[in-house]
């Protein structure tokens, strides 16, 4: 990371990324389904360290994103400025989503920025990774929005039910993730989430059944119930 600083340009950063990439890391990323056709091979902990070194800069983050290089896009997410990041920019980035990894990290940024109004818009989008973004955002909100009223999350259960029959791998897993995280949030959310999980588990649709059964198993486990009662 020598030579990089808050004044480094997007081009400087990309040149550095290319110089320190690792074929071994690329192999490891392939094993977990991360796209590597436009990647140099740097693990996220290294990128997090680099992000701290160069600091936040919205204009540079947008330039890094435009390179379409995997590591540059991860750094774009890490170094974007939440107070300057707009809904229009979030939508533009979503139009480029082609990897579950990038989706899930960007969803965390969108939650931090407070782009909640995009959840429904993304959920109704037919593209697999854009739809996943909606449910990754819900999953993140359920964990990180500690003071948000339970009603916010209960109001999202119909959206989860509506898309529970989408059998595409990255969608169904994110719908399941969102349902589980809502149910684990509080006792007030737990009952309605379990009720929906039970309803889905009895569905005639294979994908909805899988989502419901998997969510029910976690939400009704002793571990989850004990944790919720400790929090109450």
């Amino acid at each position: 990371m020598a030579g990089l600083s808050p004044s480094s340009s997007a081009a400087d950063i990309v040149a550095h990324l290319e110089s320190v990439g690792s074929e071994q890391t690329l192999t490891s990323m392939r094993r977990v389904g991360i796209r590597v056709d436009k990647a140099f091979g740097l693990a996220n902990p290294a990128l997090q360290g680099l992000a701290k070194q160069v600091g936040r800069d919205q204009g540079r983050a947008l330039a890094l994103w435009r390179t379409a290089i995997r590591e540059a896009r991860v750094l774009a997410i890490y170094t974007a400025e939440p107070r300057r990041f707009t809904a229009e920019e979030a939508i533009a980035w979503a139009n480029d989503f082609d990897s579950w990894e990038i989706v899930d990290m960007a969803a965390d940024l969108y939650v931090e920025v407070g782009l909640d109004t995009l959840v429904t818009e993304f959920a109704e989008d037919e593209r697999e990774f854009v739809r996943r973004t909606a449910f990754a955002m819900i999953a993140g909100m359920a964990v990180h929005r500690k003071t948000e009223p339970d009603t916010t999350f209960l109001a999202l259960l119909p959206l989860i039910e509506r898309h529970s029959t989408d059998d595409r791998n990255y969608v169904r897993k994110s719908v399941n993730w969102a349902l589980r995280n809502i149910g684990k949030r509080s006792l007030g959310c737990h009952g309605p989430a379990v009720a929906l999980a039970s309803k889905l588990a009895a569905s005639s649709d294979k994908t909805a059944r899988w989502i419901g059964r998997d969510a029910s198993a976690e939400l009704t486990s002793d571990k989850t119930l004990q944790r919720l009662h400790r929090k109450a």
Side-chain angles (χ1 to χ4, degrees), residues 160-192:
I160 288 173
E161 181 174 6
R162 183 154 69 249
H163 294 290
S164 64
T165 58
D166 189 327
D167 64 356
R168 291 174 295 180
N169 188 48
Y170 293 117
V171 176
R172 71 186 182 96
K173 287 185 175 180
S174 65
V175 172
N176 173 268
W177 182 21
L179 178 57
R180 289 185 289 110
N181 278 13
I182 289 176
K184 292 185 292 183
R185 176 181 171 80
S186 68
L187 284 173
C189 286
H190 181 260

Side-chain angles (χ1 to χ4, degrees), residues 39-102:
F40 295 137
L42 278 84
N44 287 345
L47 293 171
Q48 288 166 352
L50 181 55
K52 290 179 181 178
Q53 186 171 344
V54 301
R56 292 186 182 272
D57 184 304
Q58 183 67 10
R60 188 182 61 204
L62 297 176
L64 286 168
W65 184 268
R66 289 193 292 270
T67 68
I69 297 165
R70 178 256 173 192
E71 286 80 5
R73 285 190 165 173
V74 172
L75 279 176
I77 295 166
Y78 286 158
T79 62
E81 296 180 59
R83 286 182 292 182
R84 294 183 58 197
F85 197 87
T86 67
E88 291 74 20
E89 288 163 349
I91 292 168
W93 283 16
N95 289 335
D96 294 331
F97 287 163
D98 60 2
S99 163
W100 67 265
E101 177 204 30
I102 295 295

